[in-house]
Amino acid sequence: MQPRMTQPIPTLLTPRLTLRALSAGDLDAFAAMQANPDVMKTLGTGVVRSHAETWDAMARMLGQWSLRGYGMFAVEETATGRFIGRAGILHPYEWEGPELAYGLDQPFWGRGYATEAAVILHRWAFLQKQLTGLVSYILPSNIASRRVAEKLGARCTGLVTLMGTVEAQRWQHCSPG
């Protein structure tokens, strides 16, 4: 696989959010988010992560930019500058294709931030990065993420097993207009 990144990680702006490159300064807030069992029960394998595991996850997220030309962003509340989560295009080696992924820290749930981030990422992935397919893998218990996918016009196409252990719903996204 040839490196595809020739530009720095972009910054995407919505009315209330800044999606930007992850940085070392995000570690403490990101690690606190990933140590929260209420947050993590709906993301990934459902297991909390340590500080060191969060650092490694950040390194993988940043590395994907060089290898694929797209990846995950830190999500920042523009008005306060606070790190509130992560969102972007996740594409591990063994996955069939890119995933529109999003996860916010618990204090920021219920404000429409996930939808706001997902809308700009959806457009960016299809129109700027010219991806031809995009899915979201959502744990069946994650009703809020399912609602975000539905707002984007995605449809559930069945269940898949991820990382050899996690059963998730596969939501297929359509290209905008």
Side-chain angles (χ1 to χ4, degrees):
M1 186 181 307
Q2 294 294 320
R4 297 173 59 186
M5 185 176 158
T6 57
Q7 302 172 353
I9 297 170
T11 298
L12 306 179
L13 301 172
T14 74
R16 301 180 298 162
L17 303 174
T18 301
L19 282 67
R20 57 165 176 75
L22 285 159
S23 71
D26 296 321
L27 178 61
D28 289 341
F30 196 15
M33 174 184 149
Q34 295 209 95
N36 182 337
D38 289 331
V39 171
M40 295 308 290
K41 72 181 177 187
T42 62
L43 300 176
T45 60
V47 177
V48 298
R49 287 186 174 155
S50 69
H51 225 78
E53 290 167 328
T54 301
W55 177 266
D56 290 344
M58 287 173 60
R60 284 191 308 277
M61 289 176 190
L62 287 167
Q64 185 181 289
W65 283 97
S66 292
L67 296 172
R68 298 211 187 264
Y70 53 82
M72 297 296 288
F73 294 87
V75 180
E76 181 178 281
E77 190 177 46
T78 304
T80 64
R82 290 173 58 188
F83 174 92
I84 67 167
R86 49 75 170 163
I89 310 302
L90 185 62
H91 194 168
Y93 180 78
E94 66 277 3
W95 288 14
E96 66 177 305
E99 177 193 14
L100 173 58
Y102 39 87
L104 300 179
D105 202 359
Q106 194 170 11
F108 304 97
W109 293 354
R111 299 183 188 187
Y113 286 160
T115 300
E116 195 170 319
V119 165
I120 195 169
L121 287 166
H122 185 269
R123 292 185 57 75
W124 178 80
F126 281 112
L127 301 177
Q128 297 295 314
K129 300 312 289 179
Q130 299 181 338
L131 297 180
T132 57
L134 196 59
V135 299
S136 288
Y137 298 112
I138 301 173
L139 299 181
S141 63
N142 193 340
I143 295 166
S145 285
R146 199 167 64 216
R147 286 185 185 136
V148 172
E150 289 170 343
K151 288 176 187 174
L152 292 172
R155 60 181 176 78
C156 185
T157 60
L159 296 173
V160 296
T161 301
L162 299 175
M163 299 169 272
T165 60
V166 178
E167 189 171 85
Q169 295 173 336
R170 182 184 185 278
W171 287 79
Q172 182 70 48
H173 293 275
C174 298
S175 177

